Amino acid sequence: MPRTRQELEAIERQILAPYAQFSGDTRGRAHAEAPPEWRTQYQRDRDRVIHSRAFRRLEYKTQVFLNGSGDHLRTRLTHTIEVAAISRNIASALKLNSDLAETIALAHDLGHSPFGHKGETVLARLMKGHGGFEHNQHSLRIVEQLEQKYPNFPGLNLSWEVREGLGKRKGFDAKNSSLEAQIANLADEITYYSHDLDDGLDSGLLSEKELAANVRIWSHAEKLVKKQYGKLADESRRYIIIRTIIDMQIRDVVENSEKLIYAAKVNSADDVRLHAKPLIQHSKERGKLNLELRKYLYKNLYYNPIVHQPNLRAVKLLG
Ligand code: MG
């Protein structure tokens, strides 16, 4: 006998923390549908996102470098897959619903314009008289209206908790989203910090020497790797340093969030929503180190004319 949704829901009750978002407790979908047989509601949502047209289009959207600039560089699609993997890991470590965190991560960038933030600025100008353009709003428009594949409703008809994670909390006034949504949000940041370092080095715009001198996160990880592995060949050293940075970021979020959740005394997903502050957070010390890295990346990578030029040329196509 195949494993049923009811069995999967029962497993969630056994293995997840009481403040997790249980798929069996969903607030449901805008249009009523028969529940899935062998998947949970959030597993169905995940499959709908993966099979959407907007998901496939992520392949051609700029993360930092215009698609085609280099075979190894990230696009929005590979970025999204990395965010989903990191979201699952953090959610699992905190005994939260990995399927929900993963689904929100997979959908988080669907509404991005082509050609990065320059593309968004141009679209916002062109759409001024028609409600403007903002990528988070557009992600919701895609999943609620623009995808046209089901005969009985527009959009993907995703569960309330997935749409909540994309910024919509209709019908429930709360200060925060589920812990799973908070994870997807923070995993986005962890992912792009680490892969932008990798792509920055790959493209030659960043150098290990400069990073070691200016970015403490890099120099800490470099020292650890040297201690553990001694001298490594260039490519594997870079890979292991970046892996170490991701590990340090995840460990910090998991350990710090665990303390915050415990101190907040939350006993349900709705307690989390009504809590005054987000409970998935980096420690203060790590927050400071991340700010240093962020400033460095803005100055030396994101605002670098070599990154900008191909996107600026492409943006002219939009008008
Ligand atoms: Mg993102």
Side-chain angles (χ1 to χ4, degrees), residues 63 76 79 83 108-109 112 188 192:
Q63 180 63 31
R76 286 255 169 223
H79 159 73
V83 178
H108 89 281
D109 268 352
H112 263 288
D188 185 25
Y192 67 70

Side-chain angles (χ1 to χ4, degrees), residues 14-40:
Q14 283 166 17
I15 66 170
L16 302 185
Y19 37 80
Q21 174 62 57
F22 296 94
S23 63
D25 292 344
T26 178
R27 288 181 158 78
R29 302 170 190 274
H31 306 274
E33 287 185 69
E37 264 184 278
W38 301 330
R39 292 174 294 173
T40 68

Side-chain angles (χ1 to χ4, degrees), residues 33-283:
E33 287 185 69
E37 264 184 278
W38 301 330
R39 292 174 294 173
T40 68
Q41 298 282 3
Y42 302 145
Q43 288 169 351
R44 170 188 265 177
D45 290 330
R46 177 189 58 203
D47 297 345
R48 287 187 177 182
V49 170
I50 290 174
H51 290 278
S52 70
R53 234 167 50 145
F55 188 74
R56 292 193 293 281
R57 287 163 63 117
L58 289 171
E59 184 177 356
Y60 299 102
K61 291 185 179 172
T62 300
Q63 180 63 31
V64 173
F65 296 91
L66 185 69
N67 187 18
S69 314
D71 287 349
H72 312 295
L73 302 174
R74 269 76 173 181
T75 67
R76 286 255 169 223
L77 180 62
T78 55
H79 159 73
T80 293
I81 294 169
E82 291 183 32
V83 178
I86 289 179
S87 298
R88 275 201 84 89
N89 290 343
I90 298 175
S92 168
L94 290 170
K95 302 192 180 79
L96 299 170
N97 198 320
S98 304
D99 293 328
L100 177 59
E102 179 186 17
T103 305
I104 295 168
L106 288 171
H108 89 281
D109 268 352
L110 289 179
H112 263 288
S113 61
F115 316 130
H117 292 285
K118 291 281 162 202
E120 179 157 7
T121 312
V122 175
L123 280 178
R125 176 167 52 75
L126 293 173
M127 293 298 290
K128 218 171 178 182
H130 311 276
F133 181 89
E134 196 276 324
H135 68 266
N136 292 315
Q137 283 305 313
H138 195 58
S139 294
L140 276 168
R141 204 177 303 137
I142 286 170
V143 302
E144 290 179 349
Q145 295 169 35
L146 298 183
E147 288 280 333
Q148 294 285 345
K149 46 205 326 196
Y150 299 96
N152 299 329
F153 49 79
L156 303 177
N157 200 29
L158 301 176
S159 304
W160 187 91
E161 293 74 22
V162 177
R163 287 181 295 127
E164 173 198 32
L166 300 178
K168 194 144 181 174
R169 284 196 211 109
K170 210 172 162 205
F172 185 75
D173 190 23
K175 294 188 179 71
N176 283 295
S177 312
S178 65
L179 293 171
E180 288 81 357
Q182 295 178 32
I183 286 174
N185 191 20
L186 208 65
D188 185 25
E189 211 177 284
I190 293 177
T191 309
Y192 67 70
Y193 286 150
S194 55
H195 69 42
D196 292 348
L197 281 170
D198 196 26
D199 286 357
L201 288 165
D202 200 57
S203 64
L205 295 179
L206 300 178
S207 81
E208 286 192 42
K209 211 171 143 214
E210 286 294 310
L211 285 170
N214 293 293
V215 180
R216 277 173 292 172
I217 285 181
W218 185 274
S219 57
H220 292 173
E222 193 184 48
K223 272 185 205 131
L224 275 176
V225 169
K226 204 168 183 185
K227 214 167 131 192
Q228 203 180 347
Y229 297 95
K231 213 169 153 41
L232 288 171
D234 284 356
E235 197 170 336
S236 74
R237 183 185 59 244
R238 193 173 93 199
Y239 174 75
I240 301 287
I241 291 174
I242 286 168
R243 191 202 66 176
T244 303
I245 290 174
I246 298 174
D247 282 353
M248 292 192 306
Q249 301 276 33
I250 293 180
R251 179 173 293 278
D252 180 81
V253 171
V254 168
E255 290 177 353
N256 191 60
S257 304
E258 200 171 35
K259 279 185 214 149
L260 294 178
I261 292 166
Y262 181 76
K265 298 189 169 61
V266 286
N267 278 312
S268 70
D270 279 352
D271 282 355
V272 169
R273 293 183 172 96
L274 296 168
H275 193 73
K277 286 186 180 154
L279 296 170
I280 303 295
Q281 287 191 51
H282 279 298
S283 64

